[in-house]
Amino acid sequence: MPVDRDLLRDARAAADAWAEAQDRTELAKADYHHAVRRLHLAGASLREIADALDISHQRVHQMIDEAGGTEGWKPRLKVGDCSFCASTADEVDRLIAGPGVFVCDGCVRRFRAQPPLTSSTAECSFCDRPAAEDGWLAEQAGVRICDRCLEFCDEVLATQG
């Protein structure tokens, strides 16, 4: 008995639709895992994410690993700790926040007076730019700040005087 062509066409169309749905599902899963990873990299703990999404923290850990993990990322900072000297907000007069890094007034003064220099090809942790050709970078504890950002910090401190 020959295969019914109309039914065969319907079966092939259903197989194509199923394959497309599987592709969309895999893309949605990857998007979900990347969104969870971004939550963690933005500072949320595995347990906080798990509670918010109503899943186990072990599953959150698996998702983050599948999406690229956290290797190479800077450790989470407590808000208010100087990234250079680790002084807390209670121990300093002022803290200036950068994108995920902080510098205290004491480090700004110290670096302006005598910067611990690093190579000019390294990038500033505040502005992500390499030091200007005529500029420099100060580095301590694996965190760097360029002379332009230190000048900006000086201005901020002067206005808050």
Side-chain angles (χ1 to χ4, degrees), residues 80-104:
D81 288 358
C82 178
S83 303
F84 294 91
C85 69
S87 295
T88 66
D90 296 334
E91 299 171 323
V92 299
D93 290 330
R94 302 271 191 241
L95 277 170
I96 299 171
V101 293
F102 300 89
V103 63
C104 70

Side-chain angles (χ1 to χ4, degrees), residues 18-31:
W18 182 38
E20 288 175 18
Q22 287 177 315
D23 289 343
R24 286 191 309 273
T25 300
E26 287 301 313
L27 289 173
K29 177 182 173 184
D31 288 344

Side-chain angles (χ1 to χ4, degrees), residues 7-20:
L7 293 176
L8 182 59
R9 184 188 66 242
D10 292 347
R12 286 183 176 151
D16 290 343
W18 182 38
E20 288 175 18

Side-chain angles (χ1 to χ4, degrees), residues 93-161:
D93 290 330
R94 302 271 191 241
L95 277 170
I96 299 171
V101 293
F102 300 89
V103 63
C104 70
D105 57 312
C107 285
V108 170
R109 284 191 304 275
R110 189 166 37 92
F111 292 157
R112 295 295 281 169
Q114 185 173 7
L117 300 178
T118 188
S119 96
S120 63
T121 59
E123 293 178 348
C124 175
S125 301
F126 278 75
C127 67
D128 288 330
R129 294 182 301 215
E133 291 179 14
D134 59 343
W136 46 264
L137 286 167
E139 180 175 13
Q140 186 174 331
V143 185
R144 294 171 299 280
I145 188 166
C146 68
D147 57 333
R148 293 174 297 224
C149 288
L150 275 172
E151 188 174 317
F152 170 76
C153 291
D154 268 343
E155 293 172 14
V156 169
L157 292 172
T159 62
Q160 295 179 349

